C-alpha cells in the first residue's frame, strides 16, 4: 500500500516535471539599459584585444628582443637599434630569429593556450548566472596581466613578455566567449521578436525578424566598440608621444587598457542581466564538465551537420582573415619604417573605418534586405580583391604592392572598412545556428575555431619569410584559405541548420528529464526499502 502511494506520487511528480520541461518559461524582454551595458563592456574589453594585444605588446617584445640581438650579417656585432632600417637577429634557444618572427611564434603559442583555457571553463557559463560572474572574473585576470608588463625593466627579460602575452590573450579570448554568448539571447528577447511570436506570425517571418534584429545588435556593438577603441588609442598615443616612444610608454599604455577594461565592466555590471539558466549540479568539477560537454557537442555531428559545416568554414576563413593584418603590420613596421606612433595612428584609422564600415554595411543590408550569409560573402569578396592586389601587383611592377607608406595607409582604411562587418556577421550566423541554452559552449568552439586555427597563419608567415626573405609572399596563404572557406560556406543551408538546432535543443531537454526521472526513481526506491525495513 505504501509502495503504491509512493509510486503514484513519483508518477505525479514526473508528469509535473514533464509539463514544466515542455512549457517554455516566458522570456524577459530586452531592455535598452541592459543592451547598452553590454555594448559598453564589449567596447571597453576590446581595448586590450584591439590595441594592446595585437599592436603594443608585439612592439614591446620586438623592441626588447632587438636590443638583445646582433647584426644579421655579423653575429659578433651587437644590434644598433638607432640605425634606420636596422637588420638584426636575436638568439633564442640556440637559434637566431628576426624579432618580428618572435612575435609571430608567440602569437601561435597564445592561440594554443586560449584553445585549452576556453575548453576548460566555457560550458560552465551555460548554467546559473556564471555567464556574468565569469565575465567579471576573467576581466580582473586580464587587468592583472596587463599590469604585469612593468616587470620588463631590462631587454634581457623579453622572454618574460613571451610568457605574459599568451596569458593576456587567453583571458581576453575567454572574456570574449562570455560576452558574445549574450548575442543570441538578446536576439530571442528583442521586443520585436516577442511581439511577432505573440501575434502568431509564421515561423519564417519570426526568423527573419530575429535575424535582422540580431544583425542590428551585432552591428551597433561593432560601432560602439570602434568608438571605444578610438578613445583608447587616443590615450595610448598621448602616452607614447609624451614619453618619447620609450619601452616604458608601451608598458604604461598596455596597463591602461587593462585598467580601463576592468573598470567599465564593474561600472555597468548592475545593469547587465545575467539571464540565468539551469543551475550547475553541486559538486560538479568545472573542468571535467566543460570537456565532457564539448566532447558531447563534437560527437553530435549527425544531428547538427549544418553548424559543423559552418564551423569548418569559419576555422579556415578566420585564419586567413586574421593573418592579413598581421602580415600588413609586419611590412609597415619592419620594412616601411613606421614608428610606434605611426602604428598607433594606423590602428586609430582602422577603428574609425571599422565604425564607419559597420554603419555603411548596416544600411546596405537593410536597403537590400540581405541575409547574414550574403553579408559574409560580400566582405569576403572585398578581402579577395585586396589579396589579389597584394600578390599580383608585385609581379608586374616593383613600385606597388604595399611598397610605399601611402599604400599602407590606404590598405589600412580598406581593411578597416570591412573587418567589423565580417566579424559581426559571422557572430550572428553562429547565433542563428547554435542550439538554445548552449550559447557559451558554441561560442567557445567559435573562439577555438578562430584561435585554434590562427596559430597556423603566423607560423606559416614566419616560415615563408624565413624561406623567401619577403613578407609579401605570405599573402598567398590567406588568399588560398579564403577561397577554400567560401567553397565550404556555400554548402551551408541556414534554414535547415535552424531546424536542426531547435530539434537538438528539444532532444537535450528530454534527455535531461529522463536523467532526472531516473535519479528520482532511485531515490524513491531507496526510501521505500528503508520504510519497509522499519515496518518489519
Amino acid at each position: 500500500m505504501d509502495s503504491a502511494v509512493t509510486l503514484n506520487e513519483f508518477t505525479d511528480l514526473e508528469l509535473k516535471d514533464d509539463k514544466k520541461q515542455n512549457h517554455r518559461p516566458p522570456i524577459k524582454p530586452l531592455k535598452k539599459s541592459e543592451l547598452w551595458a553590454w555594448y559598453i563592456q564589449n567596447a571597453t574589453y576590446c581595448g586590450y584585444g584591439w590595441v594592446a594585444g595585437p599592436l603594443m605588446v608585439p612592439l614591446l617584445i620586438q623592441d626588447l628582443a632587438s636590443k638583445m640581438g646582433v647584426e644579421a650579417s655579423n653575429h659578433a656585432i651587437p644590434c644598433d637599434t638607432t640605425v634606420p632600417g636596422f637588420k638584426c637577429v636575436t638568439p633564442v634557444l640556440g637559434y637566431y630569429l628576426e624579432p618580428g618572427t618572435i612575435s609571430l611564434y608567440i602569437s601561435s603559442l597564445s592561440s594554443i593556450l586560449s584553445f585549452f583555457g576556453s575548453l576548460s571553463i566555457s560550458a560552465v557559463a551555460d548554467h546559473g548566472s556564471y555567464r556574468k560572474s565569469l565575465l567579471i572574473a576573467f576581466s580582473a585576470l586580464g587587468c592583472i596581466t596587463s599590469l604585469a608588463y612593468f616587470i620588463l625593466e631590462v631587454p634581457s627579460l623579453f622572454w618574460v613578455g613571451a610568457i605574459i602575452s599568451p596569458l593576456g590573450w587567453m583571458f581576453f579570448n575567454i572574456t570574449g566567449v562570455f560576452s558574445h554568448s549574450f548575442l543570441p539571447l538578446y536576439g530571442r528577447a528583442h521586443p520585436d521578436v516577442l511581439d511577432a511570436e505573440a501575434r502568431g506570425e509564421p515561423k519564417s517571418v519570426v526568423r527573419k525578424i530575429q535575424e535582422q534584429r540580431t544583425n542590428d545588435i551585432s552591428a551597433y556593438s561593432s560601432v560602439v566598440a570602434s568608438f571605444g577603441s578610438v578613445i583608447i588609442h587616443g590615450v595610448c598615443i598621448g602616452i607614447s608621444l609624451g614619453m618619447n616612444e620609450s619601452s616604458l610608454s608601451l608598458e604604461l599604455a598596455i596597463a591602461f587598457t587593462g585598467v580601463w577594461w576592468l573598470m567599465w565592466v564593474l561600472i555597468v555590471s548592475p545593469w547587465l542581466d545575467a539571464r540565468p539558466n539551469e543551475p550547475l549540479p553541486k559538486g560538479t568539477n568545472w573542468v571535467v564538465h566543460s570537456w565532457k560537454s564539448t566532447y558531447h557537442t563534437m560527437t553530435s555531428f549527425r544531428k547538427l551537420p549544418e553548424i559543423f559545416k559552418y564551423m569548418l568554414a569559419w576555422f579556415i576563413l578566420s585564419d586567413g582573415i586574421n593573418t592579413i593584418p598581421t602580415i600588413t603590420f609586419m611590412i609597415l613596421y619592419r620594412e616601411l619604417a613606421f614608428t610606434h606612433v605611426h602604428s598607433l595612428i594606423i590602428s586609430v584609422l582602422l577603428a574609425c573605418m571599422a565604425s564607419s564600415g559597420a554603419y555603411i554595411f548596416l544600411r546596405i543590408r537593410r536597403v537590400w534586405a540581405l541575409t547574414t550569409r550574403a553579408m559574409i560573402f560580400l566582405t569576403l569578396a572585398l578581402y579577395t580583391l585586396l589579396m589579389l592586389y597584394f600578390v599580383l601587383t608585385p609581379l608586374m611592377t616593383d613600385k606597388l604592392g604595399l611598397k610605399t607608406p601611402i599604400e599602407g595607409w590606404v590598405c589600412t582604411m580598406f581593411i578597416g572598412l570591412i573587418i567589423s562587418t565580417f566579424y559581426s556577421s559571422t557572430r550572428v550566423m553562429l547565433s542563428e545556428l547554435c542550439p538554445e541554452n548552449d550559447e557559451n559552449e558554441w561560442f567557445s568552439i567559435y573562439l577555438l575555431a578562430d584561435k585554434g586555427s590562427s596559430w597556423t597563419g603566423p607560423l606559416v608567415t614566419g616560415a615563408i619569410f624565413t624561406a623567401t626573405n619577403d613578407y609579401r609572399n605570405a599573402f598567398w596563404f590567406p588568399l588560398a584559405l579564403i577561397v577554400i572557406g567560401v567553397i565550404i560556406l556555400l554548402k551551408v543551408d541556414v534554414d535547415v541548420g535552424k531546424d536542426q538546432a531547435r530539434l537538438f535543443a528539444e532532444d537535450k531537454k528530454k534527455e535531461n528529464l529522463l536523467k532526472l526521472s531516473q535519479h528520482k526513481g532511485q531515490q524513491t526506491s531507496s526510501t521505500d526499502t528503508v520504510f519497509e525495513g522499519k515496518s518489519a
Side-chain angles (χ1 to χ4, degrees), residues 62 65-80 86-92 95-102 158 334 465 469:
Q62 288 175 40
S66 296
K67 293 175 181 177
M68 282 297 297
V70 294
E71 294 288 342
S73 58
N74 189 342
H75 294 174
I77 302 176
C79 180
D80 186 359
F86 63 88
K87 299 289 184 180
C88 295
V89 291
T90 303
V92 179
Y95 296 92
Y96 286 95
L97 300 178
E98 202 270 340
T101 61
I102 293 176
F158 78 90
R334 306 302 302 176
F465 175 80
N469 202 35

Side-chain angles (χ1 to χ4, degrees), residues 40-41 43-54 56-57 135-150 164 167-169 171-172 175 228 231-233 235-236 239 249-267:
I40 292 172
Q41 69 81 27
T44 52
Y45 96 90
C46 284
Y48 183 89
W50 291 10
V51 184
M56 292 186 293
V57 171
L135 186 150
I136 296 173
F138 277 89
S139 296
L141 291 173
C143 177
I144 293 172
T145 304
S146 69
L147 295 172
Y149 283 96
F150 285 120
I164 299 174
L167 290 174
W169 272 118
F171 298 144
F172 167 78
T175 300
I231 295 174
I232 295 171
H233 276 95
V235 174
C236 292
I239 293 173
S249 70
L250 290 174
E251 295 170 358
L252 188 59
I254 294 169
F256 166 75
T257 63
V259 173
W260 182 261
W261 169 6
L262 178 60
M263 179 185 74
W264 280 104
V265 167
L266 294 176
I267 289 174

